[in-house]
Amino acid sequence: LIAFGLARCLGIGLTLNFLSPYCSTSIIEFWRRWHVTLSQWFRDYVYIPVGGGRVRYWALNVALVFIVSGIWHGAGWNFVLWGALHGGYLIVNRWCGRLKLPVAAGWALTMVASFYAWLCFYETNTAALFTKMKLLLTPMAYRAAGLGEMVRAFEPGHRIVLSFVLLLAAVTLALEWLSIRHKNDPYYYLRNKPVLLILVITTVLLAPGGNNGFIYFAF
């Protein structure tokens, strides 16, 4: 969104590339909203040329596209696994397309699936990655004592900042949800001037002390 706004200041109209993907209620919808230009490129130049969804082996085409997408992000097994997970999600989503979940359940399932796959981006050591993925799927790992230990690992000041960031994220997500469901326009309520002012101020206040490189420079 910052890149989009800066381009507008220079008179350049970029494509809005992320359409509130974390408001999606299915993986299919997630990929219609996530990184739109890259998704469209893979659709037009990889998925459709190999047959798309018109052929009997469409599931293989979906898997191929997302494995290639994973490799595009980086030459590592973690990125291949990320692509394979999302390819599998989409195949299952299409197979179960007639199964209608409540909106809240569809959203929660989509978020759990996408967040689980993001672990592949943050852990590049394959052995450690599999250990963490296995731990996340272990019911006994979700205990009150474990949650308390995690909270105590943060310094008191950091807990306050973390709580504020989580609250800000929840409010922002709620405004995005209302923008899509009520106005069919991503970020409609976030473009309200008082809200924009609050977001700019909190962005400055919560900015880290050091410089962080733009994440997509890594790909």
Side-chain angles (χ1 to χ4, degrees):
L1 288 175
I2 292 173
F4 186 80
L6 288 173
R8 286 288 295 272
C9 291
L10 298 172
I12 301 170
L14 295 179
T15 301
L16 190 57
N17 220 8
F18 293 85
L19 306 176
S20 297
Y22 291 118
C23 294
S24 304
T25 57
S26 71
I27 287 293
I28 290 175
E29 183 184 359
F30 179 87
W31 278 103
R32 288 173 181 159
R33 296 183 178 280
W34 182 271
H35 210 327
V36 176
T37 53
L38 182 65
S39 299
Q40 290 176 345
W41 192 94
F42 276 111
R43 180 197 65 194
D44 294 343
Y45 293 100
V46 181
Y47 184 62
I48 292 176
V50 296
R54 304 181 305 275
V55 294
R56 285 164 48 179
Y57 53 88
W58 62 267
L60 182 62
N61 291 342
V62 171
L64 172 65
V65 166
F66 275 89
I67 289 173
V68 171
S69 175
I71 295 171
W72 177 86
H73 282 88
W77 287 113
N78 56 311
F79 294 112
V80 174
L81 179 58
W82 171 83
L85 279 172
H86 271 284
Y89 293 160
L90 279 165
I91 292 167
V92 171
N93 196 168
R94 181 166 171 179
W95 278 338
C96 301
R98 295 182 181 179
L99 178 63
K100 299 297 181 183
L101 293 175
V103 172
W107 175 80
L109 187 60
T110 303
M111 293 303 100
V112 168
S114 59
F115 292 161
Y116 185 73
W118 282 136
L119 182 61
C120 300
F121 266 63
Y122 296 109
E123 180 55 75
T124 57
N125 181 291
T126 305
L129 173 61
F130 281 122
T131 299
K132 291 179 178 181
M133 296 182 85
K134 180 181 178 181
L135 183 63
L136 286 173
L137 295 176
T138 304
M140 288 297 295
Y142 300 93
R143 296 176 297 168
L147 179 61
E149 185 178 346
M150 182 196 72
V151 172
R152 288 190 296 272
F154 290 94
E155 296 177 8
H158 290 171
R159 292 177 203 167
I160 295 173
V161 173
L162 178 60
S163 299
F164 186 79
V165 169
L166 290 174
L167 176 62
L168 180 62
V171 171
T172 303
L173 185 63
L175 289 173
E176 288 188 30
W177 181 274
L178 292 172
S179 297
I180 289 176
R181 305 301 165 181
H182 291 178
K183 298 293 184 178
N184 195 28
D185 179 6
Y187 317 116
Y188 177 86
Y189 290 110
L190 288 168
R191 293 201 302 271
N192 182 281
K193 288 183 180 179
V195 175
L196 284 174
L197 182 61
I198 293 170
L199 286 174
V200 169
I201 292 172
T202 51
T203 298
V204 173
L205 291 177
L206 296 171
N211 292 326
N212 291 323
F214 182 46
I215 188 170
Y216 269 94
F217 285 163
F219 306 127

